[in-house]
Amino acid sequence: MKNQTKNPFLEGHYAPWPMEGDIPRVFVKGAIPKNLNGVFFRNGPNPQFPVQQAHWFEGDGMLHAFYFNDGNVRYSNRWIRTERFSLENKAQKSLFGAAMGLETIDASVLGVNRNTANTNIIYHAGKLLALQESSLPLEIEPQTLVTKEYFTAGGKIIDSFCAHPHFDAENGEMHGYAYSKQKPEIVYYVFNRQGEVIKAEKIAIPYCSLMHDFFITKDYVIFPVLPLTIDFERRQRGQPPILWEPEKGAHIGIMPRHGTQEDIHWFEMDSFYVFHYMNAYQDSENIILDGMKTARTSLFPDAAGKLTTVVACPTRLTRWCFNLKTGAISETQLDNTHAEFPRFDERYTGLLYRHGFVAACLEPQIESKGFDAMIHYDHHQQSQTVRKFSKGDIPNEPIFVPRSIDAAEGDGYLLSLVYRAAENRTDLLILDAMNIDQEPIAIVQLPHRVPDGFHGNWCDMANIFN
């Protein structure tokens, strides 16, 4: 019998969970703070028919929600009802095949939107939106997690929207973009507090790049065009549509938030890649950008079909300084530890900030098996606090929640889902954000596994249900 290679994205902490459900009152070890009232939403891939899934990115989006109220917590999970999900659910089989190569295994779904809505979940202007950058946002009903309809901002968003919009805490604006699948161009969107589009600026970029994240400062917007390229015509030549092409170099565009394409200052650099940025801010004529840099991504091949590994190309917290007057660029590696999923106190988006958090790997030999630690960086003290997890326990993205609306920066809680390998289930940890190495304040103990996902966010009860 021919040996079959096991798919790591269908095993262990990645393994799909086959059921939707509700737990009216989840068991809690410790005591949930009385002022922690709101919802922790988390999105991620969870294929309903996993036999055809070749890559982590391909799974159908499933939302997990923890509803906190007066020291108690209830839990719900639901698949997002995309067109793709609904057609496969009706057929009771996979119809699309591997999304990384965009193969279709059933002619009946040719031309159907392949959106899985599995990457992020955000709340703005009274709408809870599930995001995947190749499609429009899908609105979700927050109490029931029922999928509603595509969000187009009154027809202003035509084709797609990014997975990582960023929010100006001072004026309530949401900043995002959409990139074209056919030509080197993006559209930069700004939404006001009411969810109305107040800016839609077309911007020509050096080449079609998978720009997974970007950032804003108080006065500027930063567009990183990095050499993970997108070209859907490559399929006709037998190549994947997404390739690593380092010869194209890295291009960082910085534009005044109220400016136009003509105002962009482009900085050119040797090739590298960043999936996620921690924060950015201004310092006189300098723009400071912190992100998780790798020499090249391990998730996609180069033109010769070769892949690299996370061990060979780790992702490390790095700081860039771009001088808008002289054009000078400086780069500083802030930590040597392989880490990802950076978060911070987002009341300081685009501003000088002190505290940041990541999921990390302290032991290189387990990098392919998931994270084994969380790190709190104090940028002012140039210090870090580390929380090391027991063998087989794997933390996910750490989410910061302020203790109160006017609490000092970093004064609050850190929330992270943690896979418990020995029990094959998941906990939600609630930590003191400034003391993550101490015992958890509370542990919300689910009886089942939550597959490794991508991104989540906290929504205050007063904002989402009033």
mmCIF file of all heavy atoms in Angstrom, residues 173-215:
data_model
loop_
_atom_site.group_PDB
_atom_site.id
_atom_site.type_symbol
_atom_site.label_atom_id
_atom_site.label_comp_id
_atom_site.label_asym_id
_atom_site.label_seq_id
_atom_site.Cartn_x
_atom_site.Cartn_y
_atom_site.Cartn_z
ATOM 1 N N GLU A 173 -12.190 56.655 13.610
ATOM 2 C CA GLU A 173 -12.073 56.245 12.212
ATOM 3 C C GLU A 173 -11.528 54.825 12.093
ATOM 4 O O GLU A 173 -10.714 54.383 12.898
ATOM 5 C CB GLU A 173 -11.138 57.186 11.454
ATOM 6 C CG GLU A 173 -11.690 58.579 11.215
ATOM 7 C CD GLU A 173 -10.691 59.480 10.511
ATOM 8 O OE1 GLU A 173 -9.514 59.078 10.350
ATOM 9 O OE2 GLU A 173 -11.092 60.587 10.116
ATOM 10 N N MET A 174 -11.992 54.143 11.037
ATOM 11 C CA MET A 174 -11.417 52.858 10.650
ATOM 12 C C MET A 174 -10.672 53.048 9.333
ATOM 13 O O MET A 174 -11.211 53.599 8.376
ATOM 14 C CB MET A 174 -12.496 51.788 10.484
ATOM 15 C CG MET A 174 -11.934 50.430 10.047
ATOM 16 S SD MET A 174 -13.151 49.078 10.080
ATOM 17 C CE MET A 174 -14.156 49.464 8.629
ATOM 18 N N HIS A 175 -9.417 52.591 9.292
ATOM 19 C CA HIS A 175 -8.581 52.713 8.104
ATOM 20 C C HIS A 175 -8.310 51.316 7.543
ATOM 21 O O HIS A 175 -7.952 50.399 8.288
ATOM 22 C CB HIS A 175 -7.256 53.390 8.449
ATOM 23 C CG HIS A 175 -7.405 54.808 8.905
ATOM 24 N ND1 HIS A 175 -6.974 55.881 8.165
ATOM 25 C CD2 HIS A 175 -7.955 55.331 10.029
ATOM 26 C CE1 HIS A 175 -7.238 56.999 8.807
ATOM 27 N NE2 HIS A 175 -7.842 56.689 9.950
ATOM 28 N N GLY A 176 -8.475 51.168 6.243
ATOM 29 C CA GLY A 176 -8.237 49.876 5.604
ATOM 30 C C GLY A 176 -7.942 50.060 4.131
ATOM 31 O O GLY A 176 -7.810 51.183 3.636
ATOM 32 N N TYR A 177 -7.869 48.965 3.405
ATOM 33 C CA TYR A 177 -7.545 49.033 1.987
ATOM 34 C C TYR A 177 -8.029 47.760 1.303
ATOM 35 O O TYR A 177 -8.370 46.757 1.950
ATOM 36 C CB TYR A 177 -6.024 49.187 1.775
ATOM 37 C CG TYR A 177 -5.238 48.033 2.346
ATOM 38 C CD1 TYR A 177 -4.904 46.922 1.578
ATOM 39 C CD2 TYR A 177 -4.864 48.032 3.686
ATOM 40 C CE1 TYR A 177 -4.221 45.859 2.122
ATOM 41 C CE2 TYR A 177 -4.176 46.969 4.239
ATOM 42 C CZ TYR A 177 -3.860 45.884 3.446
ATOM 43 O OH TYR A 177 -3.189 44.822 3.999
ATOM 44 N N ALA A 178 -8.049 47.795 -0.003
ATOM 45 C CA ALA A 178 -8.297 46.612 -0.826
ATOM 46 C C ALA A 178 -7.255 46.594 -1.920
ATOM 47 O O ALA A 178 -6.932 47.643 -2.481
ATOM 48 C CB ALA A 178 -9.697 46.661 -1.433
ATOM 49 N N TYR A 179 -6.684 45.422 -2.193
ATOM 50 C CA TYR A 179 -5.741 45.374 -3.296
ATOM 51 C C TYR A 179 -6.335 44.624 -4.473
ATOM 52 O O TYR A 179 -7.153 43.731 -4.343
ATOM 53 C CB TYR A 179 -4.377 44.810 -2.903
ATOM 54 C CG TYR A 179 -4.341 43.491 -2.172
ATOM 55 C CD1 TYR A 179 -4.696 42.304 -2.793
ATOM 56 C CD2 TYR A 179 -3.888 43.431 -0.865
ATOM 57 C CE1 TYR A 179 -4.617 41.096 -2.139
ATOM 58 C CE2 TYR A 179 -3.795 42.220 -0.194
ATOM 59 C CZ TYR A 179 -4.164 41.052 -0.846
ATOM 60 O OH TYR A 179 -4.080 39.855 -0.184
ATOM 61 N N SER A 180 -5.917 45.054 -5.660
ATOM 62 C CA SER A 180 -6.428 44.472 -6.898
ATOM 63 C C SER A 180 -5.776 43.129 -7.156
ATOM 64 O O SER A 180 -4.594 42.928 -6.872
ATOM 65 C CB SER A 180 -6.154 45.416 -8.074
ATOM 66 O OG SER A 180 -6.465 44.782 -9.306
ATOM 67 N N LYS A 181 -6.545 42.201 -7.717
ATOM 68 C CA LYS A 181 -6.003 40.901 -8.090
ATOM 69 C C LYS A 181 -5.472 40.908 -9.522
ATOM 70 O O LYS A 181 -4.867 39.934 -9.971
ATOM 71 C CB LYS A 181 -7.083 39.830 -7.951
ATOM 72 C CG LYS A 181 -7.703 39.722 -6.562
ATOM 73 C CD LYS A 181 -8.758 38.636 -6.531
ATOM 74 C CE LYS A 181 -9.469 38.574 -5.189
ATOM 75 N NZ LYS A 181 -10.360 39.707 -4.956
ATOM 76 N N GLN A 182 -5.723 41.992 -10.255
ATOM 77 C CA GLN A 182 -5.345 42.036 -11.658
ATOM 78 C C GLN A 182 -4.217 43.016 -11.977
ATOM 79 O O GLN A 182 -3.457 42.823 -12.913
ATOM 80 C CB GLN A 182 -6.553 42.403 -12.540
ATOM 81 C CG GLN A 182 -7.605 41.319 -12.658
ATOM 82 C CD GLN A 182 -8.526 41.256 -11.442
ATOM 83 O OE1 GLN A 182 -8.843 42.280 -10.847
ATOM 84 N NE2 GLN A 182 -8.949 40.061 -11.075
ATOM 85 N N LYS A 183 -4.088 44.094 -11.202
ATOM 86 C CA LYS A 183 -3.083 45.100 -11.534
ATOM 87 C C LYS A 183 -2.484 45.663 -10.249
ATOM 88 O O LYS A 183 -3.086 45.565 -9.179
ATOM 89 C CB LYS A 183 -3.709 46.220 -12.364
ATOM 90 C CG LYS A 183 -4.914 46.899 -11.719
ATOM 91 C CD LYS A 183 -5.533 47.915 -12.676
ATOM 92 C CE LYS A 183 -6.781 48.544 -12.077
ATOM 93 N NZ LYS A 183 -7.384 49.537 -12.994
ATOM 94 N N PRO A 184 -1.264 46.239 -10.331
ATOM 95 C CA PRO A 184 -0.598 46.767 -9.127
ATOM 96 C C PRO A 184 -1.258 48.049 -8.640
ATOM 97 O O PRO A 184 -0.829 49.161 -8.950
ATOM 98 C CB PRO A 184 0.842 46.992 -9.602
ATOM 99 C CG PRO A 184 0.741 47.189 -11.069
ATOM 100 C CD PRO A 184 -0.410 46.340 -11.528
ATOM 101 N N GLU A 185 -2.294 47.869 -7.835
ATOM 102 C CA GLU A 185 -3.078 49.013 -7.362
ATOM 103 C C GLU A 185 -3.804 48.623 -6.088
ATOM 104 O O GLU A 185 -4.235 47.478 -5.920
ATOM 105 C CB GLU A 185 -4.079 49.429 -8.446
ATOM 106 C CG GLU A 185 -4.990 50.576 -8.078
ATOM 107 C CD GLU A 185 -5.972 50.899 -9.189
ATOM 108 O OE1 GLU A 185 -5.603 51.674 -10.092
ATOM 109 O OE2 GLU A 185 -7.101 50.356 -9.165
ATOM 110 N N ILE A 186 -3.920 49.557 -5.161
ATOM 111 C CA ILE A 186 -4.757 49.377 -3.985
ATOM 112 C C ILE A 186 -5.710 50.563 -3.884
ATOM 113 O O ILE A 186 -5.490 51.609 -4.515
ATOM 114 C CB ILE A 186 -3.935 49.263 -2.683
ATOM 115 C CG1 ILE A 186 -3.121 50.540 -2.430
ATOM 116 C CG2 ILE A 186 -3.031 48.041 -2.714
ATOM 117 C CD1 ILE A 186 -2.427 50.555 -1.084
ATOM 118 N N VAL A 187 -6.751 50.399 -3.096
ATOM 119 C CA VAL A 187 -7.639 51.506 -2.744
ATOM 120 C C VAL A 187 -7.575 51.669 -1.232
ATOM 121 O O VAL A 187 -7.827 50.712 -0.489
ATOM 122 C CB VAL A 187 -9.093 51.263 -3.189
ATOM 123 C CG1 VAL A 187 -9.969 52.461 -2.795
ATOM 124 C CG2 VAL A 187 -9.170 51.014 -4.689
ATOM 125 N N TYR A 188 -7.201 52.847 -0.794
ATOM 126 C CA TYR A 188 -7.106 53.165 0.638
ATOM 127 C C TYR A 188 -8.435 53.754 1.088
ATOM 128 O O TYR A 188 -8.903 54.754 0.550
ATOM 129 C CB TYR A 188 -5.962 54.149 0.857
ATOM 130 C CG TYR A 188 -5.904 54.814 2.216
ATOM 131 C CD1 TYR A 188 -6.002 54.076 3.390
ATOM 132 C CD2 TYR A 188 -5.719 56.194 2.317
ATOM 133 C CE1 TYR A 188 -5.930 54.694 4.628
ATOM 134 C CE2 TYR A 188 -5.643 56.818 3.544
ATOM 135 C CZ TYR A 188 -5.751 56.072 4.699
ATOM 136 O OH TYR A 188 -5.675 56.687 5.923
ATOM 137 N N TYR A 189 -9.064 53.111 2.089
ATOM 138 C CA TYR A 189 -10.370 53.531 2.588
ATOM 139 C C TYR A 189 -10.241 54.106 4.000
ATOM 140 O O TYR A 189 -9.505 53.572 4.836
ATOM 141 C CB TYR A 189 -11.336 52.349 2.655
ATOM 142 C CG TYR A 189 -11.761 51.782 1.320
ATOM 143 C CD1 TYR A 189 -11.219 50.586 0.854
ATOM 144 C CD2 TYR A 189 -12.716 52.419 0.544
ATOM 145 C CE1 TYR A 189 -11.616 50.042 -0.356
ATOM 146 C CE2 TYR A 189 -13.124 51.884 -0.669
ATOM 147 C CZ TYR A 189 -12.569 50.699 -1.111
ATOM 148 O OH TYR A 189 -12.965 50.171 -2.318
ATOM 149 N N VAL A 190 -11.010 55.150 4.264
ATOM 150 C CA VAL A 190 -11.188 55.664 5.620
ATOM 151 C C VAL A 190 -12.682 55.745 5.894
ATOM 152 O O VAL A 190 -13.438 56.305 5.083
ATOM 153 C CB VAL A 190 -10.536 57.050 5.809
ATOM 154 C CG1 VAL A 190 -10.723 57.519 7.257
ATOM 155 C CG2 VAL A 190 -9.054 57.011 5.447
ATOM 156 N N PHE A 191 -13.107 55.169 7.016
ATOM 157 C CA PHE A 191 -14.503 55.189 7.439
ATOM 158 C C PHE A 191 -14.614 56.063 8.687
ATOM 159 O O PHE A 191 -13.778 55.967 9.590
ATOM 160 C CB PHE A 191 -14.986 53.781 7.794
ATOM 161 C CG PHE A 191 -14.862 52.777 6.686
ATOM 162 C CD1 PHE A 191 -13.628 52.214 6.377
ATOM 163 C CD2 PHE A 191 -15.967 52.378 5.966
ATOM 164 C CE1 PHE A 191 -13.511 51.278 5.371
ATOM 165 C CE2 PHE A 191 -15.866 51.445 4.955
ATOM 166 C CZ PHE A 191 -14.626 50.897 4.652
ATOM 167 N N ASN A 192 -15.650 56.864 8.763
ATOM 168 C CA ASN A 192 -15.842 57.666 9.969
ATOM 169 C C ASN A 192 -16.464 56.807 11.070
ATOM 170 O O ASN A 192 -16.719 55.605 10.897
ATOM 171 C CB ASN A 192 -16.663 58.928 9.692
ATOM 172 C CG ASN A 192 -18.080 58.616 9.219
ATOM 173 O OD1 ASN A 192 -18.587 57.500 9.363
ATOM 174 N ND2 ASN A 192 -18.737 59.619 8.652
ATOM 175 N N ARG A 193 -16.710 57.426 12.201
ATOM 176 C CA ARG A 193 -17.244 56.708 13.366
ATOM 177 C C ARG A 193 -18.589 56.052 13.062
ATOM 178 O O ARG A 193 -18.957 55.036 13.661
ATOM 179 C CB ARG A 193 -17.391 57.683 14.538
ATOM 180 C CG ARG A 193 -17.664 57.028 15.881
ATOM 181 C CD ARG A 193 -17.892 58.088 16.958
ATOM 182 N NE ARG A 193 -16.719 58.928 17.150
ATOM 183 C CZ ARG A 193 -15.726 58.646 17.980
ATOM 184 N NH1 ARG A 193 -15.761 57.532 18.682
ATOM 185 N NH2 ARG A 193 -14.716 59.487 18.114
ATOM 186 N N GLN A 194 -19.339 56.616 12.117
ATOM 187 C CA GLN A 194 -20.652 56.092 11.754
ATOM 188 C C GLN A 194 -20.578 54.985 10.687
ATOM 189 O O GLN A 194 -21.598 54.447 10.266
ATOM 190 C CB GLN A 194 -21.558 57.221 11.235
ATOM 191 C CG GLN A 194 -21.982 58.220 12.301
ATOM 192 C CD GLN A 194 -20.849 59.150 12.715
ATOM 193 O OE1 GLN A 194 -20.062 59.599 11.879
ATOM 194 N NE2 GLN A 194 -20.756 59.440 14.010
ATOM 195 N N GLY A 195 -19.365 54.652 10.222
ATOM 196 C CA GLY A 195 -19.208 53.598 9.235
ATOM 197 C C GLY A 195 -19.326 54.066 7.797
ATOM 198 O O GLY A 195 -19.383 53.236 6.876
ATOM 199 N N GLU A 196 -19.322 55.371 7.570
ATOM 200 C CA GLU A 196 -19.420 55.905 6.216
ATOM 201 C C GLU A 196 -18.030 56.095 5.617
ATOM 202 O O GLU A 196 -17.105 56.518 6.313
ATOM 203 C CB GLU A 196 -20.151 57.248 6.230
ATOM 204 C CG GLU A 196 -21.543 57.180 6.827
ATOM 205 C CD GLU A 196 -22.078 58.553 7.216
ATOM 206 O OE1 GLU A 196 -21.277 59.435 7.582
ATOM 207 O OE2 GLU A 196 -23.320 58.725 7.155
ATOM 208 N N VAL A 197 -17.875 55.788 4.332
ATOM 209 C CA VAL A 197 -16.600 55.983 3.658
ATOM 210 C C VAL A 197 -16.384 57.477 3.431
ATOM 211 O O VAL A 197 -17.176 58.139 2.769
ATOM 212 C CB VAL A 197 -16.559 55.241 2.311
ATOM 213 C CG1 VAL A 197 -15.272 55.571 1.552
ATOM 214 C CG2 VAL A 197 -16.657 53.738 2.536
ATOM 215 N N ILE A 198 -15.302 58.016 3.990
ATOM 216 C CA ILE A 198 -14.998 59.439 3.811
ATOM 217 C C ILE A 198 -13.741 59.635 2.958
ATOM 218 O O ILE A 198 -13.394 60.764 2.621
ATOM 219 C CB ILE A 198 -14.828 60.146 5.173
ATOM 220 C CG1 ILE A 198 -13.734 59.478 6.019
ATOM 221 C CG2 ILE A 198 -16.157 60.165 5.928
ATOM 222 C CD1 ILE A 198 -13.433 60.215 7.323
ATOM 223 N N LYS A 199 -13.084 58.536 2.610
ATOM 224 C CA LYS A 199 -11.930 58.620 1.700
ATOM 225 C C LYS A 199 -11.787 57.292 0.986
ATOM 226 O O LYS A 199 -11.870 56.223 1.609
ATOM 227 C CB LYS A 199 -10.651 58.938 2.468
ATOM 228 C CG LYS A 199 -9.416 59.185 1.589
ATOM 229 C CD LYS A 199 -8.180 59.435 2.462
ATOM 230 C CE LYS A 199 -6.948 59.774 1.633
ATOM 231 N NZ LYS A 199 -6.983 61.128 1.079
ATOM 232 N N ALA A 200 -11.578 57.331 -0.328
ATOM 233 C CA ALA A 200 -11.295 56.146 -1.139
ATOM 234 C C ALA A 200 -10.287 56.574 -2.190
ATOM 235 O O ALA A 200 -10.648 57.105 -3.237
ATOM 236 C CB ALA A 200 -12.566 55.598 -1.776
ATOM 237 N N GLU A 201 -9.018 56.365 -1.889
ATOM 238 C CA GLU A 201 -7.928 56.861 -2.726
ATOM 239 C C GLU A 201 -7.243 55.708 -3.451
ATOM 240 O O GLU A 201 -6.696 54.794 -2.836
ATOM 241 C CB GLU A 201 -6.894 57.596 -1.847
ATOM 242 C CG GLU A 201 -5.682 58.085 -2.570
ATOM 243 C CD GLU A 201 -5.956 59.298 -3.442
ATOM 244 O OE1 GLU A 201 -7.021 59.929 -3.266
ATOM 245 O OE2 GLU A 201 -5.094 59.627 -4.263
ATOM 246 N N LYS A 202 -7.287 55.730 -4.793
ATOM 247 C CA LYS A 202 -6.572 54.726 -5.577
ATOM 248 C C LYS A 202 -5.076 55.045 -5.567
ATOM 249 O O LYS A 202 -4.682 56.190 -5.760
ATOM 250 C CB LYS A 202 -7.082 54.694 -7.016
ATOM 251 C CG LYS A 202 -8.424 54.008 -7.174
ATOM 252 C CD LYS A 202 -8.787 53.845 -8.643
ATOM 253 C CE LYS A 202 -10.108 53.104 -8.795
ATOM 254 N NZ LYS A 202 -10.475 52.913 -10.219
ATOM 255 N N ILE A 203 -4.279 53.997 -5.365
ATOM 256 C CA ILE A 203 -2.836 54.175 -5.262
ATOM 257 C C ILE A 203 -2.134 53.110 -6.097
ATOM 258 O O ILE A 203 -2.368 51.903 -5.911
ATOM 259 C CB ILE A 203 -2.376 54.066 -3.795
ATOM 260 C CG1 ILE A 203 -3.024 55.178 -2.949
ATOM 261 C CG2 ILE A 203 -0.857 54.118 -3.683
ATOM 262 C CD1 ILE A 203 -2.821 55.018 -1.469
ATOM 263 N N ALA A 204 -1.286 53.539 -7.020
ATOM 264 C CA ALA A 204 -0.467 52.608 -7.795
ATOM 265 C C ALA A 204 0.692 52.141 -6.923
ATOM 266 O O ALA A 204 1.321 52.934 -6.222
ATOM 267 C CB ALA A 204 0.054 53.291 -9.052
ATOM 268 N N ILE A 205 0.960 50.834 -6.951
ATOM 269 C CA ILE A 205 2.047 50.267 -6.161
ATOM 270 C C ILE A 205 3.040 49.578 -7.104
ATOM 271 O O ILE A 205 2.707 49.296 -8.261
ATOM 272 C CB ILE A 205 1.518 49.293 -5.091
ATOM 273 C CG1 ILE A 205 0.735 48.144 -5.730
ATOM 274 C CG2 ILE A 205 0.655 50.031 -4.078
ATOM 275 C CD1 ILE A 205 0.233 47.102 -4.748
ATOM 276 N N PRO A 206 4.266 49.291 -6.653
ATOM 277 C CA PRO A 206 5.290 48.763 -7.554
ATOM 278 C C PRO A 206 4.939 47.435 -8.216
ATOM 279 O O PRO A 206 5.337 47.179 -9.346
ATOM 280 C CB PRO A 206 6.516 48.624 -6.639
ATOM 281 C CG PRO A 206 6.310 49.657 -5.576
ATOM 282 C CD PRO A 206 4.831 49.683 -5.342
ATOM 283 N N TYR A 207 4.233 46.547 -7.521
ATOM 284 C CA TYR A 207 3.825 45.260 -8.087
ATOM 285 C C TYR A 207 2.705 44.701 -7.217
ATOM 286 O O TYR A 207 2.444 45.204 -6.115
ATOM 287 C CB TYR A 207 4.998 44.282 -8.184
ATOM 288 C CG TYR A 207 5.783 44.104 -6.906
ATOM 289 C CD1 TYR A 207 5.359 43.234 -5.904
ATOM 290 C CD2 TYR A 207 6.973 44.806 -6.678
ATOM 291 C CE1 TYR A 207 6.075 43.071 -4.724
ATOM 292 C CE2 TYR A 207 7.703 44.652 -5.509
ATOM 293 C CZ TYR A 207 7.242 43.784 -4.543
ATOM 294 O OH TYR A 207 7.953 43.621 -3.372
ATOM 295 N N CYS A 208 2.034 43.660 -7.704
ATOM 296 C CA CYS A 208 0.931 43.056 -6.960
ATOM 297 C C CYS A 208 1.491 42.223 -5.815
ATOM 298 O O CYS A 208 2.111 41.175 -6.031
ATOM 299 C CB CYS A 208 0.080 42.186 -7.881
ATOM 300 S SG CYS A 208 -0.857 43.094 -9.112
ATOM 301 N N SER A 209 1.285 42.685 -4.618
ATOM 302 C CA SER A 209 1.851 42.065 -3.431
ATOM 303 C C SER A 209 0.744 41.598 -2.494
ATOM 304 O O SER A 209 -0.312 42.234 -2.399
ATOM 305 C CB SER A 209 2.744 43.086 -2.707
ATOM 306 O OG SER A 209 3.098 42.640 -1.418
ATOM 307 N N LEU A 210 0.995 40.490 -1.804
ATOM 308 C CA LEU A 210 0.081 40.063 -0.754
ATOM 309 C C LEU A 210 0.388 40.920 0.474
ATOM 310 O O LEU A 210 1.199 40.566 1.320
ATOM 311 C CB LEU A 210 0.257 38.569 -0.450
ATOM 312 C CG LEU A 210 -0.874 37.887 0.318
ATOM 313 C CD1 LEU A 210 -0.836 36.368 0.110
ATOM 314 C CD2 LEU A 210 -0.827 38.183 1.808
ATOM 315 N N MET A 211 -0.270 42.066 0.532
ATOM 316 C CA MET A 211 -0.079 43.027 1.620
ATOM 317 C C MET A 211 -1.060 42.661 2.732
ATOM 318 O O MET A 211 -2.165 43.179 2.802
ATOM 319 C CB MET A 211 -0.330 44.452 1.122
ATOM 320 C CG MET A 211 0.046 45.537 2.123
ATOM 321 S SD MET A 211 -0.631 47.177 1.697
ATOM 322 C CE MET A 211 -0.034 47.410 0.039
ATOM 323 N N HIS A 212 -0.638 41.770 3.616
ATOM 324 C CA HIS A 212 -1.559 41.262 4.632
ATOM 325 C C HIS A 212 -1.865 42.288 5.716
ATOM 326 O O HIS A 212 -2.930 42.248 6.328
ATOM 327 C CB HIS A 212 -0.971 39.995 5.258
ATOM 328 C CG HIS A 212 -1.872 39.334 6.248
ATOM 329 N ND1 HIS A 212 -3.084 38.778 5.897
ATOM 330 C CD2 HIS A 212 -1.753 39.149 7.591
ATOM 331 C CE1 HIS A 212 -3.670 38.270 6.973
ATOM 332 N NE2 HIS A 212 -2.887 38.487 8.017
ATOM 333 N N ASP A 213 -0.941 43.207 5.968
ATOM 334 C CA ASP A 213 -1.124 44.192 7.018
ATOM 335 C C ASP A 213 -0.488 45.511 6.585
ATOM 336 O O ASP A 213 0.323 45.544 5.644
ATOM 337 C CB ASP A 213 -0.480 43.688 8.320
ATOM 338 C CG ASP A 213 -0.954 44.430 9.572
ATOM 339 O OD1 ASP A 213 -1.828 45.312 9.460
ATOM 340 O OD2 ASP A 213 -0.437 44.127 10.665
ATOM 341 N N PHE A 214 -0.853 46.580 7.236
ATOM 342 C CA PHE A 214 -0.291 47.914 7.003
ATOM 343 C C PHE A 214 -0.388 48.645 8.333
ATOM 344 O O PHE A 214 -0.674 48.031 9.345
ATOM 345 C CB PHE A 214 -1.031 48.627 5.878
ATOM 346 C CG PHE A 214 -2.341 49.255 6.288
ATOM 347 C CD1 PHE A 214 -2.616 50.579 5.959
ATOM 348 C CD2 PHE A 214 -3.316 48.556 7.002
ATOM 349 C CE1 PHE A 214 -3.809 51.182 6.329
ATOM 350 C CE2 PHE A 214 -4.511 49.153 7.367
ATOM 351 C CZ PHE A 214 -4.753 50.466 7.032
ATOM 352 N N PHE A 215 -0.147 49.967 8.345
ATOM 353 C CA PHE A 215 -0.344 50.665 9.619
ATOM 354 C C PHE A 215 -0.563 52.158 9.393
ATOM 355 O O PHE A 215 -0.332 52.679 8.288
ATOM 356 C CB PHE A 215 0.807 50.437 10.603
ATOM 357 C CG PHE A 215 0.303 49.916 11.918
ATOM 358 C CD1 PHE A 215 0.255 48.563 12.168
ATOM 359 C CD2 PHE A 215 -0.180 50.798 12.880
ATOM 360 C CE1 PHE A 215 -0.243 48.076 13.358
ATOM 361 C CE2 PHE A 215 -0.689 50.327 14.086
ATOM 362 C CZ PHE A 215 -0.725 48.960 14.322
#
